[in-house]
Amino acid sequence: MNILSVNDVELAYDSFGSEQDEAVVLIAGLGTQMIRWTTSFCRMLADRGFRVIRFDNRDVGGSTHYRHVQTLDFEALATTLMSGRRPDIPYTLDDMADDVIGLLDALSIDRAHIVGRSMGGMIAQLVASAYPGRVLSLTSIMSSSGNPALPPASPEVMAMMTAPASNPFEDEAGYLAHSLAFAKRIAGTGYPFKEESYKALIREELQRAYDPGSVGRQIAAIAVSGDRRPRLATIQVPALVIHGMDDPLFVPACGEDTAASIPDAELLLIDEMGHDLPPELYAVVVDGIERTARRAD
C-alpha cells in the first residue's frame, strides 16, 4: 500500500500492471475499502493491457479519516435538505471526485478510464462530467443517477444497512453476523454466496481500519449530491452502465435511468446479479470495461 497527499488528505492506493499502459481507476462504494476490488479482479483487468489503480476513498481504509466529526443526525440532515439549506457536512461527493483527479495528478497520469461501483459509480459520474479532459471512458456499476423519482430501496434493506453493529474488537462474532446478514440480503440469487471468503474480507478490512462513523458521513455526502442527471447529460466519453437485475439496494430502474441520462451510454443488465460482484461475473465486467475503453481509442 502506498500513500499520497492529495487535496489536503492522504489517499492510500496500489496498482497492477505496467505503468506504460493506459490507466483504469477503480472507485469503491459506501464505507468500503479498495480491497473490495479484489486482487484477482485487478489482475484480470491488468492482463487486458491496463494499469489498474485502486484506492481508499477519504474516510475509509488507509486514507484520511474524519473521526473528529460528531455523529450525524440523519433526521436533522433530512430536515435541512428539505428546507433548501445546505447542511454542514465534512465533505461531498464532489470533493471525492476531486480526490480522483488529485490522485491522477500525483501519479502524473493525464487521462484515465474511470470505473466506480455503487457510491463509487456516483463519484465516477461526477469525475466524467466535471473533468472531461481527464477521462477516457466511464463505467458505472450498480449505481444511480440521483433522480428523486426513482424507486428507493425497501425500508427493510435501508434499516439493515444503517443499523449499528457490535464493536468487532469486543464481539467479533456479532459484528461478522451483522455484516454477513446484510451482504447476503443484497447479493444476487444466481451465484453462491461464499461466506468464508466474505468473512476473510471483512477481517482484512478491520485490520486496515475500523471507523463506524464513516458510513454515516458518506451517506450524507450522497444525500447532498442531489439529482445528477443534468451533469450526466454533459458526459461525452464512451460510457457503460452495469446493473444487476436482482439489486435490492439500487433497483434496476436506477441503472436504466443512469444509462438514459448519459448520451450514447451502453446499458448492461445482468440477470441474477445483486448489489455485489461475485467472482463468477469478473470476466463479464472486465469484458465490459475493456470494450468501453476500446471505444475511446
Side-chain angles (χ1 to χ4, degrees):
M1 184 180 70
N2 308 288
I3 301 288
L4 286 173
S5 294
V6 172
N7 299 336
D8 298 322
V9 297
E10 291 189 334
L11 296 182
Y13 79 98
D14 61 12
S15 65
F16 303 79
S18 169
E19 293 186 4
Q20 307 309 311
D21 290 334
E22 286 186 347
V24 174
V25 178
L26 303 176
I27 310 175
L30 173 68
T32 62
Q33 302 180 26
M34 66 181 181
I35 56 175
R36 294 292 178 110
W37 297 106
T38 64
T39 297
S40 57
F41 179 88
C42 293
R43 286 178 175 160
M44 183 182 294
L45 190 52
D47 287 344
R48 303 293 181 94
F50 297 104
R51 178 187 182 186
V52 179
I53 299 163
R54 62 180 182 176
F55 73 102
D56 286 325
N57 287 311
R58 61 170 67 192
D59 222 2
V60 296
S63 296
T64 295
H65 287 250
Y66 289 75
R67 295 182 177 91
H68 60 282
V69 177
Q70 68 181 60
T71 301
L72 294 171
D73 182 332
F74 288 108
E75 288 189 12
L77 175 67
T79 300
T80 301
L81 288 170
M82 291 178 65
S83 71
R85 293 178 290 122
R86 185 176 182 82
D88 182 18
I89 60 175
Y91 54 84
T92 66
L93 291 189
D94 282 294
D95 294 323
M96 300 172 83
D98 292 343
D99 290 344
V100 177
I101 297 302
L103 182 63
L104 294 181
D105 289 341
L107 294 172
S108 300
I109 296 172
D110 182 43
R111 303 174 75 195
H113 304 280
I114 307 298
V115 179
R117 60 196 286 178
S118 195
M119 181 191 74
M122 302 174 191
I123 296 168
Q125 295 163 17
L126 294 175
V127 174
S129 63
Y131 298 96
R134 305 299 299 276
V135 177
L136 291 167
S137 73
L138 164 69
T139 301
S140 177
I141 306 170
M142 62 182 94
S143 193
S144 186
S145 65
N147 180 351
L150 287 168
S154 71
E156 172 236 351
V157 171
M158 290 302 296
M160 290 183 73
M161 184 175 75
T162 57
S166 303
N167 184 319
F169 302 107
E170 297 173 356
D171 179 13
E172 184 185 76
Y175 181 85
L176 288 174
H178 177 275
S179 300
L180 284 168
F182 180 64
K184 288 179 180 178
R185 177 64 183 84
I186 64 174
T189 59
Y191 306 94
F193 184 82
K194 298 178 174 61
E195 185 168 312
E196 292 306 313
S197 296
Y198 191 81
K199 283 183 180 179
L201 174 65
I202 294 301
R203 288 189 174 109
E204 185 178 357
E205 285 190 327
L206 286 172
Q207 289 172 357
R208 298 182 79 241
Y210 172 62
D211 183 359
S214 66
V215 171
R217 295 187 290 269
Q218 292 189 348
I219 289 176
I222 293 171
V224 302
S225 178
D227 189 345
R228 289 179 297 282
R229 286 178 297 167
R231 299 177 70 171
L232 296 179
T234 69
I235 295 174
Q236 297 299 315
V237 297
L240 170 66
V241 175
I242 300 175
H243 214 94
M245 292 297 290
D246 282 356
D247 193 331
L249 192 58
F250 289 127
V251 298
C254 296
E256 293 168 348
D257 194 67
T258 301
S261 301
I262 302 173
D264 300 318
E266 176 189 352
L267 174 63
L268 176 59
L269 295 173
I270 301 178
D271 288 335
E272 300 182 319
M273 173 182 171
H275 199 79
D276 63 345
L277 186 52
E280 291 85 356
L281 288 176
Y282 285 1
V284 173
V285 173
V286 167
D287 285 346
I289 294 170
E290 181 184 18
R291 180 174 64 253
T292 307
R294 300 311 177 203
R295 287 171 57 197
D297 292 342

